[in-house]
C-alpha cells in the first residue's frame, strides 16, 4: 500500500509538472505578437521539462499496467517521447525565443538582452527588453539588428552600453555592427553610420569605425 501511494503521488506530481511547464511554453508564444513573456533563459530551460516528465509518466504507466495491457503501455513509452521531442523542436522555431548571448542593465533600471533567433540558416541577432526592473518579463523590441548573411562577424558577440549610457552597441567579430540611441525610444544612431553591404568586409569595417568615432569606444576596449 505504501508503494502504491508513493507511485500515485509521483504520478500526480509528474502530471502537475507537465501541465505547468506546457502552460509556460504556450504562453511564450505570446512573444510573437509582442506580449510580455517570462525571461527567455527560463522558458528555454523549462521547455525540455515536458519531454522528461511525459517520458517518466509513460514508464510509470508501463510499470503499473496489468499484464494484458503491458505491451501497449511499453509501446507508448517507446513511441511517444520522440513525437514529443518533434513537437518541442517545432515549438522552438515557432516561439521565436532567442538563445541569450548577454544582458545589460542601464542606470535607469532598464534591461536589454542580445540573443540569437531560432533561424534554420542565417544567424539572426535580436534585441529584447525587460518589461519590469527585475528582469522577470520580457518582450522583443521592434528594432531589427544587422545579421550575418554568410556566417561572418559572429565571433564573440556582445551587447555593450556606451560610456555615456545613452547608446547600446552590438559587437560581433571584433567590430561594432549596430548602434542604437536609447535615451527615449530605441532608434538607430545618427545617419552618418553607414549601412553595411552584407558580404563586403570593408563595408563592415567602415561601419565599425563610424560607430567608434561616434561613441569614442573601440570594440576591443569593451571586453
Amino acid at each position: 500500500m505504501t508503494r502504491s501511494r508513493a507511485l500515485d503521488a509521483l504520478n500526480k506530481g509528474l502530471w502537475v509538472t507537465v501541465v505547468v511547464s506546457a502552460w509556460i511554453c504556450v504562453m511564450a508564444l505570446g512573444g510573437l505578437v509582442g506580449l510580455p513573456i517570462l525571461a527567455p533563459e527560463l522558458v528555454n530551460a523549462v521547455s525540455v521539462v515536458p519531454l522528461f516528465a511525459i517520458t517518466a509518466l509513460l514508464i510509470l504507466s508501463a510499470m503499473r499496467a496489468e499484464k494484458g495491457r503491458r505491451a501497449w503501455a511499453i509501446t507508448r513509452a517507446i513511441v511517444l517521447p520522440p513525437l514529443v521531442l518533434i513537437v518541442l523542436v517545432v515549438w522552438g522555431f515557432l516561439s521565436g525565443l532567442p538563445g541569450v548571448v548577454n544582458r545589460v542593465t542601464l542606470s535607469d533600471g532598464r534591461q536589454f538582452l542580445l540573443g540569437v533567433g531560432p533561424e534554420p540558416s542565417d544567424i539572426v541577432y535580436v534585441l529584447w527588453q525587460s518589461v519590469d526592473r527585475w528582469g522577470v518579463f520580457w518582450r522583443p523590441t521592434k528594432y531589427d539588428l544587422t545579421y550575418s548573411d554568410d556566417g561572418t562577424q559572429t565571433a564573440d558577440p556582445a551587447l555593450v552600453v556606451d560610456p555615456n549610457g545613452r547608446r547600446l552597441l552590438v559587437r560581433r567579430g571584433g567590430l561594432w555592427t549596430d548602434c542604437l540611441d536609447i535615451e527615449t525610444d530605441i532608434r538607430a544612431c545618427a545617419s552618418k553610420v553607414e549601412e553595411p553591404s552584407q558580404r563586403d568586409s570593408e563595408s563592415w569595417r567602415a561601419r565599425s569605425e563610424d560607430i567608434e568615432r561616434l561613441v569614442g569606444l573601440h570594440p576591443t576596449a569593451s571586453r
Side-chain angles (χ1 to χ4, degrees):
M1 182 62 70
T2 302
R3 181 175 181 272
S4 178
R5 288 180 178 176
L7 291 176
D8 286 340
L10 177 59
N11 186 72
K12 291 178 181 178
L14 288 170
W15 272 114
V16 170
T17 301
V18 169
V19 170
V20 172
S21 58
W23 177 81
I24 291 174
C25 290
V26 171
M27 291 299 100
L29 296 175
L32 294 173
V33 293
L35 296 176
I37 67 167
L38 288 172
E41 302 102 312
L42 174 60
V43 179
N44 283 328
V46 169
S47 66
V48 300
V49 173
L51 175 62
F52 293 110
I54 289 174
T55 301
L57 279 169
L58 292 169
I59 294 174
L60 184 61
S61 176
M63 292 172 54
R64 304 179 71 184
E66 298 177 357
K67 287 186 177 181
R69 300 180 178 179
R70 187 163 296 169
W72 170 238
I74 292 175
T75 300
R76 286 187 304 170
I78 295 173
V79 173
L80 289 182
L83 296 179
V84 174
L85 179 59
I86 291 172
V87 170
L88 290 175
V89 170
V90 172
W91 168 87
F93 281 108
L94 292 179
S95 68
L97 279 177
V100 177
V101 176
N102 74 306
R103 293 188 186 192
V104 295
T105 302
L106 307 184
S107 58
D108 59 8
R110 286 182 294 167
Q111 295 185 49
F112 293 87
L113 68 78
L114 176 67
V116 178
E119 299 293 332
S121 54
D122 295 335
I123 299 177
V124 177
Y125 294 88
V126 293
L127 184 69
W128 284 53
Q129 182 176 359
S130 64
V131 177
D132 55 79
R133 289 179 174 268
W134 301 276
V136 177
F137 291 96
W138 293 73
R139 63 159 54 101
T141 66
K142 296 180 180 179
Y143 187 85
D144 294 326
L145 298 175
T146 56
Y147 67 97
S148 175
D149 183 53
D150 56 359
T152 58
Q153 284 84 43
T154 57
D156 193 26
L159 186 64
V160 178
V161 183
D162 84 328
N164 296 320
R166 299 178 351 198
R167 299 183 179 94
L168 285 178
L169 311 172
V170 177
R171 185 191 66 229
R172 298 193 280 113
L175 302 172
W176 292 131
T177 59
D178 295 88
C179 176
L180 306 173
D181 284 319
I182 52 174
E183 285 190 278
T184 53
D185 198 6
I186 302 174
R187 65 183 190 279
C189 290
S191 58
K192 68 175 78 173
V193 178
E194 297 182 1
E195 287 293 323
S197 175
Q198 280 295 331
R199 304 196 177 204
D200 182 1
S201 59
E202 289 302 320
S203 176
W204 284 101
R205 188 170 292 106
R207 177 180 175 85
S208 179
E209 291 172 354
D210 286 342
I211 295 174
E212 182 181 345
R213 282 191 291 269
L214 185 65
V215 301
L217 182 67
H218 192 273
T220 58
S222 63
R223 289 186 173 86

